[in-house]
PDB file of all heavy atoms in Angstrom:
ATOM      1  N   GLY A 218      28.351  11.546  -3.418  1.00 98.00           N
ATOM      2  CA  GLY A 218      28.110  10.328  -2.636  1.00 98.00           C
ATOM      3  C   GLY A 218      28.887   9.085  -3.046  1.00 98.00           C
ATOM      4  O   GLY A 218      29.413   8.363  -2.205  1.00 98.00           O
ATOM      5  N   ILE A 357      34.955  20.004 -15.591  1.00 98.00           N
ATOM      6  CA  ILE A 357      34.344  21.085 -14.816  1.00 98.00           C
ATOM      7  C   ILE A 357      35.395  21.572 -13.827  1.00 98.00           C
ATOM      8  O   ILE A 357      35.856  20.800 -12.975  1.00 98.00           O
ATOM      9  CB  ILE A 357      33.106  20.599 -14.033  1.00 98.00           C
ATOM     10  CG1 ILE A 357      32.049  20.047 -14.991  1.00 98.00           C
ATOM     11  CG2 ILE A 357      32.524  21.738 -13.179  1.00 98.00           C
ATOM     12  CD1 ILE A 357      30.874  19.353 -14.280  1.00 98.00           C
ATOM     13  N   VAL A 362      41.325  30.637 -11.125  1.00 98.00           N
ATOM     14  CA  VAL A 362      41.194  32.011 -11.612  1.00 98.00           C
ATOM     15  C   VAL A 362      40.516  31.938 -12.974  1.00 98.00           C
ATOM     16  O   VAL A 362      40.895  31.134 -13.824  1.00 98.00           O
ATOM     17  CB  VAL A 362      42.577  32.693 -11.735  1.00 98.00           C
ATOM     18  CG1 VAL A 362      42.481  34.023 -12.481  1.00 98.00           C
ATOM     19  CG2 VAL A 362      43.192  32.884 -10.347  1.00 98.00           C
ATOM     20  N   MET A 483      47.498   4.017   6.718  1.00 98.00           N
ATOM     21  CA  MET A 483      47.377   3.644   5.311  1.00 98.00           C
ATOM     22  C   MET A 483      46.801   4.796   4.482  1.00 98.00           C
ATOM     23  O   MET A 483      46.147   4.573   3.452  1.00 98.00           O
ATOM     24  CB  MET A 483      46.480   2.407   5.127  1.00 98.00           C
ATOM     25  CG  MET A 483      47.069   1.111   5.615  1.00 98.00           C
ATOM     26  SD  MET A 483      47.157   1.032   7.426  1.00 98.00           S
ATOM     27  CE  MET A 483      47.593  -0.675   7.695  1.00 98.00           C
ATOM     28  N   GLU A 554      69.788  -2.255   6.188  1.00 96.00           N
ATOM     29  CA  GLU A 554      68.894  -2.200   7.359  1.00 96.00           C
ATOM     30  C   GLU A 554      68.849  -0.809   7.998  1.00 96.00           C
ATOM     31  O   GLU A 554      69.881  -0.178   8.202  1.00 96.00           O
ATOM     32  CB  GLU A 554      69.419  -3.163   8.445  1.00 96.00           C
ATOM     33  CG  GLU A 554      69.493  -4.602   8.059  1.00 96.00           C
ATOM     34  CD  GLU A 554      68.247  -5.377   8.501  1.00 96.00           C
ATOM     35  OE1 GLU A 554      67.481  -4.864   9.327  1.00 96.00           O
ATOM     36  OE2 GLU A 554      68.059  -6.492   7.980  1.00 96.00           O
ATOM     37  N   ASN A 577      73.908  13.827  -5.039  1.00 92.00           N
ATOM     38  CA  ASN A 577      74.197  12.516  -4.451  1.00 92.00           C
ATOM     39  C   ASN A 577      74.207  12.570  -2.932  1.00 92.00           C
ATOM     40  O   ASN A 577      73.733  11.652  -2.272  1.00 92.00           O
ATOM     41  CB  ASN A 577      75.538  11.992  -4.961  1.00 92.00           C
ATOM     42  CG  ASN A 577      75.380  11.416  -6.372  1.00 92.00           C
ATOM     43  OD1 ASN A 577      74.455  10.651  -6.627  1.00 92.00           O
ATOM     44  ND2 ASN A 577      76.272  11.801  -7.274  1.00 92.00           N
TER      45      ASN A 577
END
Side-chain angles (χ1 to χ4, degrees):
I357 300 171
V362 169
M483 290 71 170
E554 299 264 346
N577 281 314

